[in-house]
Amino acid sequence: MKHTIAFLFLLFSLLSFSQNDSIISYGQNLIYENKLDDAISFYNSHLTEPKSPEQKVKLLIGLADIYKLKLDFKKTNHYLIESYTEIEELGNKQLKFLYHVKMIEFYRKRGLFKEAIEHQKNAESILKKNMINKFDLSSYYNRRASLFSQHFGNLDSVIVYANKSLKLAEKVNHKDNIFYSKLELASVYERRGDIKGAILYFEDLLNYANNNSLIQHQADVYINYTNALIKDDQLEKALQVSLEATAFAKANHLLFNEIIVTINVYETYKKLGNTEKAYDYLLNRIILSEKYNKLEHDKFLFELEEKYKLTEKENEIKINTLEIENKNKALASNKIKLYVSISLFLAALIITVLIAYFLKKEKRTNKQLKILSEENEFLLSEANHRINNNLQLVVILISDQLKNTKGQERFELKNILTKVEAISTLHKHLYKNKDKSKVDVANYLNDVKVSFFEVFKENDIQTDFKIDSVDISSDHAMYFGLLLSELCINSIKHAFDKEDRKTINFRLTHKENRMYFNYSDTGSREKNKEVKPKLIDKICRQLKIEYQIETDNGFSFSFEKHITND
């Protein structure tokens, strides 16, 4: 009986650790209040002498959360790996479950859904065999809801897991999960067209964040709230809230949120017919974007400089090591005859002089290369910033013109807009990649699909896209994106009659260095007709491929192409 009571007490202590640790709770409140630098100092001060190994893990995970908010994914990954090392030594399944939940969000936030899903499966495996506390279980269900929302697009599953998370979060007063579970539910209302229902959710979340000093949360919900007000044509209120949100983001140094809300201010002024104010905020948005990009660039130069200093220090250590080895050799040679000692000494001296000469020459060469590298990186970064801003400006101008057109002209503008967005999306992916010559075709083509979301929705078209993740050249990726865009546009424009079940299917598979491209729709309008789209034919010529078109049962387009990842 005594052993049973002791076991239950230990289990209860482990399950309630995350809620009862006052140090962890205080640090979490600093994060909620956006006092990130204070939180870093607080966590580091307690990390020197943690009260227990479990608390040390919580402190490391807390630091990872802070640097994730700062978008410093390198340090985030460092602290998560360090926490995992500690967890493995402890063999604590509860903390291991929490680690996998944190990794789900780490990869999801970066758009690496394959890795996020792998960690979700690992967490699920632990959950099947172990009792997990409500606090962390709520986080797990919340992350599952976000994956279904952002990656799978299954709104029914979003509702199921968001409600599971919310129910548990309310029982243990997990503020973060209460907020984001409701935000997921609000997004479902909005995506299903119930804008007024979504607005009620956003207003409730705004009050909740304000009452609980959740600074980052409040800034995030402002974005969704103002977007919903604009969609509901509550333009005066949208303008008031957008200006309030801009001031809030600026006061709390949330530059990224300030950029997004500034776009909403621009849109609102534009809809209200105040062109002068609208373009003032458009200009302000470009200035803020330049500032944000400059911060990212300065951060890159700082890291480059630190890396160079580390290399220089390593070279100094190598020189010192050689000098020590030479001195040891000189001491050992005392047992040999004098002329041998003199010869060895002279040889060592010559070697040292040669090493010093070549190291000095190498150091001078490295310095020149570093200067050229930094100049090239700066010029490339500036060029990318200008290209991105210009593409975004073109998208905004076309979108504005689209609002004032109807009928065939409106569809043609949408046609142009999707192609510009396809090129803009490719540029975004290349800019994020370290290797500028390649891009993950799955991430890129899924983003192209997202650009058609509103058009598919307006025309009541269902989609089924399955794309293998593989890196291909940027040229091939661009043609694949333009080809998919043109096929979707042709299906929307020419394929369907009103009574048709409207479905577009797309498969891009990779096997043994060959890409298999298969596109089809269920339209009946072009059944048994000979079809040869001119633009698609031109794109296929650029890709140097032979393609097949069939219209026996809807429209079907396919080809295969040899592609290597070298």
Side-chain angles (χ1 to χ4, degrees), residues 161-400:
Y161 285 105
N163 277 318
K164 280 188 175 184
S165 175
L166 180 60
K167 185 177 180 180
L168 291 170
E170 288 177 338
K171 286 183 178 180
V172 295
N173 194 28
H174 194 325
K175 297 178 182 177
D176 191 59
N177 285 344
I178 290 173
F179 178 88
Y180 283 113
S181 296
K182 288 185 177 181
L183 191 62
E184 292 292 353
L185 293 170
S187 70
V188 172
Y189 274 88
E190 186 174 7
R191 289 164 70 176
R192 286 181 169 175
D194 187 357
I195 306 300
K196 294 190 182 299
I199 288 173
L200 292 176
Y201 255 110
F202 293 140
E203 290 173 346
D204 178 61
L205 285 169
L206 199 60
N207 290 329
Y208 183 82
N210 184 45
N211 293 335
N212 290 276
S213 300
L214 305 177
I215 302 301
Q216 181 66 58
H217 301 63
Q218 187 170 343
D220 288 344
V221 76
Y222 264 130
I223 294 171
N224 299 81
Y225 185 35
T226 53
N227 280 333
L229 289 172
I230 292 172
K231 288 181 180 179
D232 200 40
D233 285 332
Q234 298 186 41
L235 299 182
E236 294 293 345
K237 187 172 182 179
L239 179 60
Q240 177 189 345
V241 175
S242 296
L243 292 172
E244 178 185 315
T246 305
F248 180 84
K250 187 174 183 179
N252 288 282
H253 309 291
L254 300 171
L255 180 58
F256 183 77
N257 290 78
E258 187 180 355
I259 293 171
I260 301 300
V261 179
T262 299
I263 296 173
N264 289 345
V265 177
Y266 159 76
E267 288 286 348
T268 311
Y269 271 124
K270 188 73 174 175
K271 286 177 176 289
L272 288 169
N274 193 335
T275 306
E276 184 178 351
K277 278 284 187 180
Y279 282 95
D280 283 346
Y281 274 89
L282 177 61
L283 178 61
N284 189 39
R285 182 261 184 191
I286 294 173
I287 293 170
L288 290 172
S289 297
E290 291 287 340
K291 182 179 178 181
Y292 179 79
N293 292 330
K294 181 66 167 58
L295 288 174
E296 290 298 305
H297 179 66
D298 289 346
K299 178 181 172 184
F300 167 77
L301 291 179
F302 174 76
E303 290 177 350
L304 192 66
E305 183 180 355
E306 290 298 307
K307 184 177 180 181
Y308 174 74
K309 288 180 180 177
L310 180 61
T311 304
E312 193 173 19
K313 190 68 177 178
E314 289 174 350
N315 288 335
E316 290 177 4
I317 293 171
K318 289 178 182 177
I319 295 171
N320 292 335
T321 303
L322 286 172
E323 290 176 351
I324 292 170
E325 289 176 356
N326 289 333
K327 288 178 181 178
N328 290 335
K329 289 179 182 179
L331 290 172
S333 67
N334 287 335
K335 297 178 181 180
I336 308 173
K337 292 180 180 181
L338 182 60
Y339 68 90
V340 176
S341 300
I342 294 173
S343 298
L344 290 173
F345 174 76
L346 289 175
L349 184 62
I350 291 171
I351 291 172
T352 303
V353 170
L354 287 173
I355 290 172
Y357 170 75
F358 285 114
L359 284 174
K360 184 177 181 180
K361 185 176 180 181
E362 183 182 3
K363 184 178 178 181
R364 184 167 57 249
T365 302
N366 286 342
K367 187 176 182 180
Q368 292 173 346
L369 289 173
K370 175 179 175 290
I371 293 170
L372 290 173
S373 176
E374 289 179 352
E375 288 177 352
N376 287 337
E377 287 289 340
F378 177 77
L379 291 173
L380 180 60
S381 176
E382 289 300 311
N384 278 320
H385 295 166
R386 296 295 184 274
I387 292 170
N388 183 62
N389 286 337
N390 288 336
L391 284 171
Q392 290 301 314
L393 188 57
V394 170
V395 170
I396 290 170
L397 292 174
I398 295 175
S399 298
D400 286 344

Side-chain angles (χ1 to χ4, degrees), residues 41-52:
S41 299
F42 178 78
Y43 277 122
N44 280 324
S45 66
H46 288 281
L47 196 56
T48 56
E49 293 184 8
K51 292 181 178 180
S52 66

Side-chain angles (χ1 to χ4, degrees), residues 445 464-467 484 504-508 517-519:
L445 292 184
D464 182 11
F465 282 46
K466 291 184 180 178
I467 306 167
L484 180 59
I504 291 177
N505 300 291
F506 177 59
R507 301 288 184 274
L508 185 67
F517 188 110
N518 293 281
Y519 175 95

Side-chain angles (χ1 to χ4, degrees), residues 21 32 80 121 128 132 142 175 193 202 205 214 247 257 264 303 319 368 386 410 423-424 443 451 474 492:
D21 192 322
Y32 286 157
L80 287 172
K121 291 178 180 178
K128 288 179 179 178
I132 303 299
N142 185 269
K175 297 178 182 177
F202 293 140
L205 285 169
L214 305 177
N257 290 78
N264 289 345
E303 290 177 350
I319 295 171
Q368 292 173 346
R386 296 295 184 274
R410 176 182 175 83
I423 296 171
S424 176
N443 288 340
S451 68
S474 58
I492 295 165

